[in-house]
Amino acid sequence: MGKHAKHLVWDWNGTLLDDISAVIGATNAAFAELGLESITLERYRELYMVPVPKFYERLMGRLPTDEEWVLMDGAFHRHYWQRAEGCGLTAGAAELLAARQASGLTQSLLSLAPHGELIPLVRRHGIAERFLRVDGRVDRSTDGKSGHMVRHLAALEGVPAERVVVIGDAADDAVAAAHVGARAVLYTGGSHSRASLERVGVPVVDSLEEAVAVAEELV
């Protein structure tokens, strides 16, 4: 396919938004409330996974009960949103998004962050107009991004999955891409270690600029 046929689906947390320090701070603040030991960035990146209750299973040795999950999820998000306002975009993100739009290439944003919180935050960073569509989570499920990706691409209308590349920071981004027949590039600046991302079997990069360059070669 020609250069102008590619469509990028960007992840938000840990990819376009440089929020890993806020995530670790919120995680440890929530853990302190819940009686769990604090976690380092390195250990977080090695253990983190989606669905998030499975991450807690790795930490606790068992899945949390429904009641425990409600408490855990609530505590994390209470602390996270206090910190998220202070997070900036990842280095080079704004420029990459603007350049891609200026070149007539298309892109969209798909996140598991709650839609109601995601939209104003994207707008405050001045990048909302760069995307054909911005979708956050609209339910309280703990499922990963695969079903969300199906709905996102369907809403884009006329963007076939075979010309889509997903850029994210989590193994779940690659799983969601494969689920719809798209490709994926994973970025090491977010929730996973390079070693854990490399086990997924898709290209792994250390910058968003490199992610876009690799995406250009994939489809």
Side-chain angles (χ1 to χ4, degrees):
M1 283 201 171
K3 178 181 177 184
H4 294 280
K6 300 175 183 69
H7 177 87
L8 298 185
V9 176
W10 292 91
D11 174 56
W12 178 242
N13 301 101
T15 303
L16 290 176
L17 185 68
D18 183 16
D19 67 346
I20 191 63
S21 61
V23 168
I24 296 300
T27 297
N28 282 328
F31 281 7
E33 288 186 17
L34 299 164
L36 297 173
E37 292 185 9
S38 63
I39 190 169
T40 64
L41 172 60
E42 292 72 25
R43 182 163 169 76
Y44 179 94
R45 282 177 162 161
E46 199 55 45
L47 295 180
Y48 183 76
M49 67 181 302
V50 177
V52 178
K54 299 290 287 184
F55 168 57
Y56 282 93
E57 181 181 28
R58 289 180 166 186
L59 291 168
M60 300 166 61
R62 62 174 177 82
L63 276 172
T65 65
D66 291 344
E67 292 78 11
E68 287 173 329
W69 169 247
V70 169
L71 290 173
M72 291 170 168
D73 190 50
F76 170 79
H77 282 99
R78 186 172 69 253
H79 290 289
Y80 173 78
W81 290 111
Q82 292 170 0
R83 293 164 168 81
E85 294 294 332
C87 296
L89 296 178
T90 298
E95 294 79 7
L96 285 167
L97 295 171
R100 188 169 185 82
Q101 184 185 40
S103 296
L105 300 170
T106 62
Q107 55 202 336
S108 57
L109 194 160
L110 179 65
S111 175
L112 292 179
H115 189 77
E117 281 82 9
L118 174 68
I119 296 299
L121 191 54
V122 172
R123 286 176 178 156
R124 280 198 292 277
H125 283 286
I127 58 172
E129 69 277 9
R130 306 298 183 204
F131 306 107
L132 294 183
R133 186 176 183 87
V134 177
D135 285 321
R137 187 190 288 281
V138 294
D139 58 32
R140 296 189 58 82
S141 76
T142 60
D143 295 339
K145 196 176 273 187
S146 293
H148 204 23
M149 185 69 72
V150 171
R151 293 186 292 275
H152 182 72
L153 292 191
L156 285 172
E157 294 183 357
V159 178
E162 60 268 19
R163 71 178 181 91
V164 169
V165 181
V166 177
I167 298 178
D169 69 312
D172 186 57
D173 292 301
V175 171
H179 182 71
V180 296
R183 308 295 293 274
V185 180
L186 297 180
Y187 164 61
T188 60
S191 60
H192 285 326
S193 67
R194 171 174 271 279
S196 61
L197 291 177
E198 287 176 341
R199 290 195 286 268
V200 178
V202 303
V204 176
V205 300
D206 297 316
S207 72
L208 297 188
E209 183 178 14
E210 187 182 359
V212 171
V214 171
E216 289 295 333
E217 301 301 320
L218 284 180
V219 296

